[in-house]
Amino acid sequence: MNKSLVGLNKKELNSLLTSMGVSEKQLNMRTNQLWNWIYVRGAKSISEMTNLSKEFRKELNEQFNLTRPEISKNEISSDGTQKWLIKFPDGSEIETVFIPDGDRGTLCVSSQVGCTLNCTFCHTGTQKLVRNLSSQEIVSQMVIAKDSLSEWNKTKRDITNIVMMGMGEPLYNFENVRDGINVFADDAGLSVSKRRITLSTSGIVPKIEDAGNEIGSMLAISLHATNNDLRNELVPINKKYPIEELLDACKNYPRVKNSKRITFEYVMLKDVNDSEAQARDLIKLISGIPSKINLIPFNPWPGTIYECSDWDQIEKFSDIINRGGYASPIRMPRGRDISAACGQLKSDTKKEKASIKYKKELAKLESERIGRL
Ligand code: SF4
């Protein structure tokens, strides 16, 4: 079967062209031509590449194509948010979400099929990890979004920002995420500045410094709690990398400064992490780290034990943090009606099968939490 060139990075294109017999002398020129057709013009077939000789197109056509992964489902929310369920040839499915917001449009990209981490407020966490995505599969999510939004060859872009916040823990798929982000950011191709790309991690401490050095995007941390007991419950990877170590890694994040602030994500869970005392603890905790706090009203999903904090409580929480000297925007829920909001992603085909074991574990956590109150 012919291989798709869509989503490949320059190194991969180079090696395919070399294997076809393209000479060393022509290699860069040929790679750049393909790059432009794939990532600037959004070509869908090799025959469109009219600045390549007929003979060369014929040779390419014999081995390659520009096929995209299949879109199993495309949903559009009443607020304009779009979600694609994308199926890869091995049958694995992931979700990608586009959130338009005035002049800005953010593409939320997945890095894994499922997730190992079981954050208890997150729907993806109920879906077992199937596998890492390749960098080609990571990049192809943007190609599919640009196709659907008819964004190729336009001066005004719909997708201005990218967040690695979809399904999966990006730092558990480090090399492929790094290579994918480098394709997103390439000036001669998709050209999204790294200042507009945010990698979100639940706190894989040993990889945070590497991310700063080798990826260099903006960093977001799924924090969600101000002490280890509660964070162990909400983000269980905290048992391995506790808050103190995580915040040290943030302080040492290469090049962290005011212009490259770290974003702390904080999901607002009613009567769990939303008290005024916890807001004050949060300020103390992040003191000295150039940062902002994104407050995320909890987006419910079937089977969850959590509720979203009341709106006036979220505002009180935000005010305290603002008065403490940190920006704390409240992220307005987007795409809730199509389960595209933060923490709601889960491949549709798996949705009906929320595991009974998982629900029991949540019920146990809930009774332990009530016992601690
Ligand atoms: S919040 Fe992120 S890391 Fe945690 S379970 Fe969900 S997808 Fe995985």
Side-chain angles (χ1 to χ4, degrees):
M1 205 170 75
N2 283 5
K3 181 177 172 57
S4 176
L5 300 176
V6 172
L8 295 183
N9 58 46
K10 280 202 172 143
K11 210 169 131 205
E12 291 167 326
L13 278 178
N14 262 320
S15 85
L16 287 181
L17 290 173
T18 307
S19 70
M20 280 176 72
V22 172
S23 70
E24 182 87 33
K25 214 170 128 204
Q26 291 210 310
L27 197 56
N28 275 347
M29 179 193 72
R30 289 297 190 210
T31 302
N32 291 340
Q33 284 173 321
L34 290 179
W35 197 257
N36 183 271
W37 279 108
I38 298 169
Y39 297 123
V40 177
R41 307 192 204 199
K44 295 203 172 65
S45 73
I46 288 166
S47 45
E48 283 173 56
M49 301 180 169
T50 45
N51 61 349
L52 306 182
S53 70
K54 265 193 186 155
E55 187 55 31
F56 186 52
R57 274 184 271 159
K58 187 167 166 274
E59 281 174 44
L60 283 171
N61 256 324
E62 279 162 12
Q63 298 184 52
F64 307 112
N65 58 44
L66 298 179
T67 308
R68 281 77 164 133
E70 184 189 332
I71 300 175
S72 308
K73 202 169 177 182
N74 180 5
E75 291 174 273
I76 304 184
S77 156
S78 54
D79 67 18
T81 299
Q82 281 206 53
K83 182 173 78 170
W84 298 275
L85 178 67
I86 297 174
K87 190 174 190 174
F88 298 109
D90 68 349
S92 301
E93 289 181 315
I94 51 111
E95 292 184 321
T96 306
V97 178
F98 173 67
I99 308 127
D101 187 11
D103 277 354
R104 180 187 165 114
T106 302
L107 189 70
C108 180
V109 171
S110 292
S111 56
Q112 297 182 307
V113 183
C115 189
T116 43
L117 290 186
N118 304 119
C119 301
T120 47
F121 56 87
C122 171
H123 203 194
T124 310
T126 66
Q127 184 181 342
K128 276 206 322 225
L129 178 75
V130 179
R131 65 175 176 84
N132 282 338
L133 294 181
S134 65
S135 75
Q136 180 175 27
E137 290 166 333
I138 290 168
V139 174
S140 64
Q141 295 173 62
M142 182 165 182
V143 173
I144 283 177
K146 281 173 84 86
D147 287 346
S148 296
L149 298 166
S150 305
E151 202 197 75
W152 299 110
N153 296 310
K154 270 193 190 166
T155 37
K156 191 175 172 321
R157 295 195 176 183
D158 295 307
I159 302 169
T160 59
N161 293 61
I162 294 175
V163 290
M164 297 298 308
M165 275 184 204
M167 297 166 69
E169 164 52 62
L171 294 186
Y172 274 164
N173 185 14
F174 187 88
E175 282 81 14
N176 292 336
V177 166
R178 176 198 60 203
D179 294 351
I181 288 180
N182 283 332
V183 177
F184 292 147
D186 188 280
D187 281 347
L190 294 168
S191 188
V192 180
S193 153
K194 284 192 182 170
R195 299 186 57 80
R196 290 175 173 270
I197 300 176
T198 301
L199 183 152
S200 175
T201 177
S202 55
I204 311 304
V205 169
K207 285 288 181 193
I208 289 179
E209 189 177 346
D210 294 345
N213 288 327
E214 294 182 40
I215 301 176
S217 63
M218 306 298 280
L219 179 69
I221 303 284
S222 287
L223 188 63
H224 311 306
T226 55
N227 63 63
N228 283 320
D229 277 351
L230 182 58
R231 195 161 189 272
N232 287 345
E233 175 188 320
L234 298 177
V235 186
I237 194 68
N238 192 72
K239 291 177 197 157
K240 196 163 178 195
Y241 306 117
I243 289 181
E244 302 72 31
E245 288 179 26
L246 175 58
L247 294 179
D248 273 351
C250 291
K251 283 178 191 148
N252 297 325
Y253 185 65
R255 297 187 297 279
V256 66
K257 53 185 183 217
N258 256 329
S259 61
K260 218 171 184 190
R261 289 178 300 176
I262 288 176
T263 301
F264 289 103
E265 309 280 353
Y266 197 95
V267 63
M268 297 301 295
L269 303 171
K270 186 173 180 165
D271 299 331
V272 174
N273 65 354
D274 64 348
S275 72
E276 287 147 61
Q278 282 161 316
R280 287 188 287 273
D281 289 345
L282 186 51
I283 297 167
K284 281 188 220 144
L285 207 59
I286 61 169
S287 149
I289 304 176
S291 52
K292 68 169 178 171
I293 318 282
N294 264 356
L295 299 180
I296 308 167
F298 173 63
N299 295 302
W301 40 270
T304 181
I305 54 170
Y306 299 112
E307 278 177 64
C308 182
S309 306
D310 294 332
W311 196 256
D312 59 345
Q313 190 61 24
I314 298 177
E315 288 188 332
K316 268 188 213 158
F317 199 97
S318 171
D319 283 348
I320 293 171
I321 293 169
N322 277 320
R323 285 201 301 275
Y326 292 91
S328 66
I330 301 170
R331 194 192 289 165
M332 300 309 283
R334 300 291 304 272
R336 270 185 177 175
D337 53 336
I338 56 166
S339 291
C342 197
Q344 288 185 315
L345 299 190
K346 186 170 185 183
S347 314
D348 264 12
T349 46
K350 310 262 176 177
K351 258 179 199 149
E352 312 307 325
K353 301 177 191 163
S355 118
I356 292 167
K357 179 166 165 266
Y358 182 78
K359 284 185 180 168
K360 277 187 186 157
E361 280 166 12
L362 282 180
K364 189 167 151 249
L365 279 173
E366 175 68 347
S367 65
E368 282 169 6
R369 187 174 67 77
I370 289 166
R372 281 206 304 275
L373 290 177

